[in-house]
Amino acid sequence: MIILAGMIGVGKTTYSARLAQELGTEAFFEPVDDNPILDKYYENPDKYGFALQVYFLNQRFKSVKAAYAQDNNILDRSIYEDALFTYINALQGKISQEEYGVYQGLLETFVHEITHFPKEQPDLLVYLDGSFEHILSNIKKRGRSFEQPTPGNGLEDYYRLLHSHYQKWYQDYDRCPKMIIHTDDLDIHQDQDWDTVYQMISQKMKDIRKEA
């Protein structure tokens, strides 16, 4: 199992889809288009922040469970990474400290359940890193109306704060082997760039097998 991680707009869905196609396996994507809370959160984060994070936590646990039932799958965000979003919402006061404590308890319960799965952890986490300017450009290009920052909605500040915490999250991540890919100068719609990325991931997996 390979997990993709990274900031909103960095390209996890595209990377996950190409990697799954290359490996002839299934990709499990983040629930966005059929998420009943996400657009409400962007309209009123103080009201829907906690509900959104609990929804994501539950959906990610289901995805992990489904992925572990098969071999060689790709997840485009991990249950561990989602805790960062909850932390940022708590920092900004969109989630109360009491709600944050409840979330932490739920996360601990889910993670404990995962340790009883046939495989306790993923084989590899691939962290996609990008500059803030590159990521903001991607968010604007993909055109989801509820994600677009405006002078009055505070979304750019939220994205900037989230982005500033991602490096530390990656550095502290210790659930499984990990690697970083810098995305600013890569366009994996181009075969040459995709070949470069795939070779990096393949080499990392070979190194992991040698160490096992």
Side-chain angles (χ1 to χ4, degrees), residues 156-208:
E156 185 167 337
D157 291 338
Y158 168 68
Y159 294 147
R160 196 176 293 277
L161 183 62
L162 183 61
H163 184 265
S164 71
H165 280 76
Y166 249 106
Q167 281 288 344
K168 185 176 188 309
W169 176 85
Y170 174 72
Q171 290 168 6
D172 292 345
Y173 179 84
D174 61 359
R175 299 279 179 175
C176 69
K178 61 187 179 182
M179 65 179 293
I180 186 168
I181 295 176
H182 300 285
T183 63
D184 280 20
D185 297 322
L186 293 169
D187 178 4
I188 64 167
H189 295 98
Q190 304 297 321
D191 289 341
Q192 184 174 354
D193 282 358
W194 171 246
D195 288 343
T196 298
V197 168
Y198 184 64
Q199 288 304 315
M200 292 168 64
I201 296 173
S202 297
Q203 184 59 53
K204 182 65 175 179
M205 288 301 299
K206 289 176 183 176
D207 294 342
I208 291 169

Side-chain angles (χ1 to χ4, degrees), residues 110-161:
F110 282 135
V111 170
H112 178 72
E113 287 297 311
I114 290 172
T115 62
H116 296 292
F117 288 179
K119 183 184 291 185
E120 292 184 10
Q121 63 185 25
D123 296 290
L124 175 65
L125 179 133
V126 179
Y127 171 57
L128 304 178
D129 184 37
S131 67
F132 183 74
E133 293 73 20
H134 177 72
I135 286 167
L136 198 60
S137 174
N138 286 349
I139 290 172
K140 291 176 179 178
K141 283 178 184 176
R142 72 182 180 188
R144 291 176 185 155
S145 58
F146 57 82
E147 287 183 342
Q148 302 308 309
T150 66
N153 66 10
L155 277 180
E156 185 167 337
D157 291 338
Y158 168 68
Y159 294 147
R160 196 176 293 277
L161 183 62

